[in-house]
């Protein structure tokens, strides 16, 4: 840490703004978001360029190992990670039980299953293991998340799990584990671009959560469970199915303006718009709009119309707030057109983001300092005397 970002000693607290907005809380070499420029990168490489030109495995390798792999290393990494797509027997046995909890919420089920997997494969506190072991755990769990997710989804549908096809890359395998069918190439590539675009995104809430948990020396599984919990909130990862729901509720172009106007006027937020960091176009939404228009047919064209109308409404009712389309707006259209069920949208986001979370966990563990900020106490002045006669009962 540089001096500028070091926490002060006791006695000189810095009062951070609500939501820690604008506060630098760590150093990272994984990636960064430049909100004013509408740019984000992974280890210095433009992330949208990576999504356009690379496979999931190439970018996964870049994020977790620090370098873009050459073709030989990519082949090796692809084989290495494909081999890891086998669930431990105990986990496979219990997935149907987890999936039987009603109402079925796949992200909650994933959270439970990741916790179970961490125990079954014996993940030890990061404080007690060397960096190489943590890296292997990170890759193994990242490879298992799609298998867990699709196993849960299929179990809930009363279907047997599909054995993973080791010949397929991560994105194609993701779709094959869902349906059991060889995936359509265009769909697999569209989903791959989405997955690459969502692998990491600076010091977002779930990554921060993973780092806080890692900073205590806890195991990788605990950090991932916390991160999944943070991602589940609609202000973070829970928006893509809600954005698609908005499209359904609007139904036709002629209703868009009134519907959106009424929502914002009544104080509601339009899902898929606004971002804490981006104060211009979110580069992820720009690429996903393109991908959606390639694969999403009429729904994508309707979404584009609704997007333009929403931006007009926000400009009219929230002037000067610099609200733009975020990643979640077109994410739903892209996943829907690839056949991913709506309830699996946020879990799909969790699957790709596991790459970023695990890289952040490894980075935190390698330069660890317990994350332990202060809170300004604003309750009744202490010490308060107990009410007279107040006693144990
Ligand atoms: N619709 C309508 N108004 C909005 C929206 C929106 N989507 N987003 C922000 N605003 C308004 C706020 O009401 C506020 O207005 P005010 O000044 O009149 O009170 C103003 O813009 C500033 O909003 P903040 O709450 O300060 O913005 P913040 O940075 O905290 O919020 C957030 C960012 C949470 C993403 C917000 O824009 C939002 O709720 N968006 C909708 C949910 C969503 O799309 N989530 C996915 C985010 S992307 C991701 O995490 C992967």
């Amino acid at each position: 840490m540089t001096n500028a970002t070091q926490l002060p000693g006791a006695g000189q607290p810095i009062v951070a703004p609500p939501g820690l907005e604008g506060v630098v809380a760590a150093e990272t070499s994984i990636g960064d978001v430049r909100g004013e420029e509408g740019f984000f990168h992974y280890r210095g490489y433009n992330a949208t360029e990576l999504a356009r030109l690379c496979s999931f495995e190439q970018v996964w390798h870049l994020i977790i190992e620090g370098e873009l792999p050459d073709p030989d290393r990519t082949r090796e990494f692809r084989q290495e990670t494909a081999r890891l797509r086998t669930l431990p027997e105990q986990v496979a046995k219990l997935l149907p039980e987890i999936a039987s909890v009603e109402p079925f919420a796949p992200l909650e089920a994933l959270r439970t299953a990741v916790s179970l997997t961490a125990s079954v494969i014996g993940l030890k506190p990061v404080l007690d293991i060397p960096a190489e072991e943590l890296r292997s755990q990170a890759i193994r769990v990242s490879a298992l998340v799609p298998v867990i997710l699709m196993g849960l989804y299929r179990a809930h549908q009363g279907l047997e799990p599909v054995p993973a096809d080791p010949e397929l890359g991560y994105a194609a395998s993701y779709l094959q584990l869902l349906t059991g069918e060889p995936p359509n190439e265009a769909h697999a590539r569209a989903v791959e671009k989405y997955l690459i675009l969502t692998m990491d995104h600076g010091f977002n809430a779930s990554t921060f959560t993973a780092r806080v948990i890692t900073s205590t020396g806890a195991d990788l599984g605990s950090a991932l469970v916390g991160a999944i919990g943070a991602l589940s909130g609609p202000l973070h990862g829970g928006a893509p199915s809600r954005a698609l729901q908005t499209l359904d509720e609007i139904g036709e172009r002629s209703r868009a303006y009134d519907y959106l106007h009424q929502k914002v006027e009544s104080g509601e937020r339009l899902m898929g718009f606004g971002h804490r960091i981006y104060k211009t176009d979110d580069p992820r939404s720009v690429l996903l709009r393109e991908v959606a228009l390639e694969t999403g047919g009429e729904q994508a064209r309707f979404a584009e119309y609704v997007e333009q109308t929403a931006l007009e409404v926000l400009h009219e009712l929230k002037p000067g707030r610099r609200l733009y389309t975020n990643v979640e707006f077109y994410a739903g259209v892209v996943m829907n057109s690839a056949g991913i069920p709506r309830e699996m949208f946020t879990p799909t986001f969790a699957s790709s983001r596991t790459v970023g979370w695990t890289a952040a966990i490894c980075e935190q563990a390698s330069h660890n300092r317990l994350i332990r900020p202060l809170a300004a106490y604003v309750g009744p002045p202490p010490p308060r005397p107990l009410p007279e006669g107040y006693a144990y009962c």
Side-chain angles (χ1 to χ4, degrees), residues 100-111:
S100 70
V101 175
E102 293 292 350
F104 178 58
L107 198 66
E108 288 170 25
L110 174 70
R111 195 185 60 207

Side-chain angles (χ1 to χ4, degrees), residues 21 198 201 204-205 231 233-240 242-243 263-264 267-279 282 284 314 317-319 321-329 349 353:
E21 204 164 342
T198 49
H201 205 238
N204 59 84
L231 185 77
L235 300 190
H236 188 3
R242 291 173 189 238
K263 283 253 173 213
V264 179
E268 280 186 56
R269 288 180 179 220
L270 302 182
M271 289 295 142
F273 295 89
H275 198 273
R276 175 61 63 80
I277 307 290
Y278 289 121
K279 299 304 169 198
D282 177 339
R284 300 169 298 179
L314 290 170
L317 298 179
K318 296 279 174 184
R321 310 310 198 284
R322 300 209 283 166
L323 298 169
Y324 294 84
T325 320
N326 66 45
V327 62
E328 308 270 332
F329 186 73
F349 185 4
R353 188 52 65 84

Side-chain angles (χ1 to χ4, degrees), residues 47-312:
T48 52
E49 197 180 349
L50 291 169
R52 280 182 203 281
L53 300 176
C54 302
S55 65
F56 186 94
E57 279 78 3
Q58 286 169 300
V59 186
W60 182 3
H61 188 282
L62 170 70
I63 290 184
I64 195 75
E65 305 283 17
E67 294 298 338
L68 275 173
D70 63 19
D72 284 345
R73 177 62 192 135
T74 304
R75 212 168 305 117
E76 203 179 87
F77 188 66
R78 206 176 135 126
Q79 286 166 358
E80 180 189 324
T81 53
R83 273 199 301 271
L84 295 171
R85 291 187 203 130
T86 306
L87 285 180
E89 208 178 304
Q90 244 181 315
V91 177
K93 224 167 60 192
L94 286 169
L95 283 192
E97 285 297 314
I98 298 173
S100 70
V101 175
E102 293 292 350
F104 178 58
L107 198 66
E108 288 170 25
L110 174 70
R111 195 185 60 207
T112 306
V114 165
S115 182
L116 171 71
T117 306
S119 305
V120 169
I121 64 180
L123 299 187
K124 299 194 198 84
V126 298
L127 209 61
D128 299 339
I129 55 175
E132 198 41 41
E133 188 176 336
L134 181 57
R135 177 201 152 278
S136 302
Q137 291 178 356
I139 294 174
R140 182 172 183 195
V141 177
S142 302
L144 281 177
V145 165
V147 188
I148 294 173
L149 266 178
M150 295 314 178
L152 287 165
Y153 180 76
R154 289 181 64 89
H156 185 256
Q157 305 289 311
L159 299 169
E160 288 296 315
V162 172
D165 178 348
E167 295 305 314
L168 297 177
Y170 184 103
S173 164
Y174 194 81
L175 295 179
Q176 182 258 349
L177 287 166
L178 171 67
T179 61
E181 305 291 328
N184 167 305
E185 225 172 276
H187 289 164
R189 186 66 190 119
V191 168
E192 186 165 47
K193 285 181 184 162
Y194 168 75
L195 294 169
I196 293 173
L197 285 176
T198 49
M199 275 183 185
D200 191 54
H201 205 238
F203 223 63
N204 59 84
S206 54
T207 300
F208 185 41
T209 305
R211 291 186 77 128
V212 170
I213 296 173
T214 305
S215 85
T216 69
D219 69 290
L220 177 127
S222 301
L224 287 179
V225 168
I228 294 168
L231 185 77
S232 69
L235 300 190
H236 188 3
S241 52
R242 291 173 189 238
L244 211 53
Q245 201 178 320
T246 305
L247 295 184
D248 288 349
E249 282 168 15
I250 294 173
E252 52 190 79
R253 289 177 189 223
S254 59
R255 280 173 35 81
Y257 181 85
D258 288 347
Y259 175 96
L260 296 165
H261 198 276
Q262 188 271 327
K263 283 253 173 213
V264 179
E265 218 172 19
S266 65
E268 280 186 56
R269 288 180 179 220
L270 302 182
M271 289 295 142
F273 295 89
H275 198 273
R276 175 61 63 80
I277 307 290
Y278 289 121
K279 299 304 169 198
T280 179
D281 281 325
D282 177 339
R284 300 169 298 179
S285 77
V286 176
L287 179 52
L288 287 178
R289 182 192 300 119
E290 238 179 83
V291 176
L293 288 169
E294 277 162 26
T295 58
E298 181 45 37
Q299 185 176 51
R301 290 190 287 278
F302 178 58
E304 195 180 30
Y305 179 82
V306 170
E307 179 196 18
Q308 289 316 315
T309 312
L311 293 173
E312 258 173 55

